[in-house]
Amino acid sequence: MHPSSFTHKVGLGLRPPHYSFLEQRPATEVAWFEAISENYMDSRGRPMEMLQLIRQDYPVALHGVSMNIGSPEGIRLDYLQKLRDLIDRVEPFIVSDHLCWTGTSDMNMHDLLPLPFTEDSLATLVNNIDFVQNFLRRPLILENVSTYISYRRNEMSEWDFVSEVSRRSGCGLLLDINNVYVNSYNHGFDPHYFLNHIPMDRVAQVHMAGPSDYGDFLFDTHSTDIPEPVWNLFKILAPQIRHLPILIERDEDIPDFHELEVEVMKAVYILESSHESERSIEPV
């Protein structure tokens, strides 16, 4: 097992540009890696070889982008069977996906599309999550997503919707701080209000990333360094999430491994500098 301390569990997204570096099995400051499930579900070649090599030295989480948990058509059985086979091979410590829909039964839109915040959506999600958790025989963790539109027929806020999904289904939450920041900017709400109104005891993992700034809106590209507003939210939350696995994500314009390792070290420093006495007693 990797010798790095697991006191603060800061990990990094496993990305192909870093394969050549990682296959040398260097010592790193990364405590664990997160792999995109779909990149390995149909692979028997180099991607799977790399994932199994990484798994020899690090804990691994699986993070999906195509489960389509919000679909009123239900979840595809062939997809779930492939995911369960991958879980059996990798033995991840977390399996997660996104709180969204990604298309219809015959068309994958390859995007994380927003759901209306309604009772109908909640009923669909609870049924789908129950089915998935029973099929996979393990808890499912779902991430709040970045959005650029909202529905006129929304019946509740995003933070109430996210909270109700977890409460009614029993699923855990993957809190993406970057997505909270993006949505607060795009839809004009206070990110602190969001963070104060979700059940932190249901949060099982945290994501950090950087969006692209297009002036009048932010786009969740994961292509930039983590910006200061996201770091500031992370600093405020640190006392409450220091016991959770934290992930640094980068999906476009991926830099050298060591450059991302600096962000991992910065997150560890913030967690170590936070005070235990601040946990859960001060609103964010």
Side-chain angles (χ1 to χ4, degrees):
M1 185 59 68
H2 186 257
S4 176
S5 169
F6 281 72
T7 303
H8 298 306
K9 305 171 182 175
V10 180
L12 191 63
L14 179 62
R15 302 295 182 259
H18 298 149
Y19 284 175
S20 296
F21 173 74
L22 291 172
E23 67 184 352
Q24 302 173 44
R25 308 182 77 168
T28 77
E29 297 298 325
V30 176
W32 58 281
F33 283 91
E34 184 184 81
I36 302 298
S37 304
E38 289 79 2
N39 290 348
Y40 303 91
M41 286 166 60
D42 295 311
S43 171
R44 297 293 182 271
R46 179 168 167 77
M48 179 55 74
E49 291 175 359
M50 278 304 306
L51 182 57
Q52 291 180 315
L53 180 66
I54 290 294
R55 185 64 185 89
Q56 293 178 29
D57 296 332
Y58 297 89
V60 166
L62 291 177
H63 186 52
V65 295
S66 299
M67 184 176 288
N68 201 8
I69 195 70
S71 172
E73 299 175 302
I75 310 302
R76 288 169 40 210
L77 275 177
D78 62 331
Y79 176 91
L80 285 183
Q81 185 59 60
K82 290 179 182 177
L83 179 58
R84 193 162 74 180
D85 291 345
L86 182 63
I87 290 170
D88 289 343
R89 298 184 70 175
V90 177
E91 298 182 331
F93 68 96
I94 277 180
V95 175
S96 64
D97 207 286
H98 296 83
L99 194 51
C100 68
W101 67 285
T102 59
T104 63
S105 58
D106 57 358
M107 178 180 293
N108 187 342
M109 302 292 286
H110 299 288
D111 208 345
L112 308 175
L113 304 170
L115 292 164
F117 304 144
T118 64
E119 287 292 336
D120 286 345
S121 290
L122 281 172
T124 297
L125 283 163
V126 170
N127 286 336
N128 287 346
I129 294 168
D130 184 62
F131 181 78
V132 170
Q133 292 188 143
N134 285 328
F135 190 91
L136 298 181
R137 300 190 292 268
R138 61 181 299 147
L140 181 64
I141 312 300
L142 290 172
E143 175 185 340
N144 57 299
V145 298
S146 291
T147 61
Y148 314 96
I149 62 168
S150 58
Y151 294 91
R152 290 181 180 177
R153 64 189 185 96
N154 280 348
E155 298 168 356
M156 62 193 83
S157 65
E158 181 186 1
W159 44 90
D160 285 339
F161 184 78
V162 169
S163 300
E164 280 299 291
V165 169
S166 181
R167 186 183 70 80
R168 296 187 193 186
S169 72
C171 76
L173 297 177
L174 196 170
L175 174 60
D176 191 311
I177 298 175
N178 169 67
N179 292 350
V180 173
Y181 169 62
V182 167
N183 288 359
S184 71
Y185 188 95
N186 291 345
H187 301 296
F189 63 78
D190 183 349
H192 303 86
Y193 195 87
F194 183 109
L195 297 173
N196 277 328
H197 288 82
I198 60 168
M200 292 302 296
D201 61 338
R202 302 294 306 169
V203 176
Q205 186 184 341
V206 174
H207 273 184
M208 299 267 285
S212 295
D213 188 345
Y214 287 87
D216 55 353
F217 74 98
L218 299 178
F219 193 57
D220 183 27
T221 54
H222 296 184
S223 63
T224 66
D225 293 343
I226 297 170
E228 277 308 305
V230 175
W231 280 119
N232 289 337
L233 292 173
F234 179 70
K235 290 174 185 174
I236 295 171
L237 279 175
Q240 298 181 66
I241 61 176
R242 54 189 293 154
H243 61 297
L244 297 175
I246 312 292
L247 183 84
I248 306 297
E249 288 186 297
R250 191 68 168 258
D251 291 309
E252 294 183 15
D253 299 328
I254 298 175
D256 179 84
F257 185 89
H258 294 300
E259 188 172 328
L260 291 178
E261 202 173 21
V262 170
E263 290 194 323
V264 170
M265 295 166 66
K266 180 175 180 178
V268 170
Y269 175 79
I270 291 170
L271 292 169
E272 290 182 343
S273 301
S274 65
H275 298 289
E276 185 73 17
S277 59
E278 295 176 1
R279 181 187 298 183
S280 75
I281 61 174
E282 293 291 341
V284 295

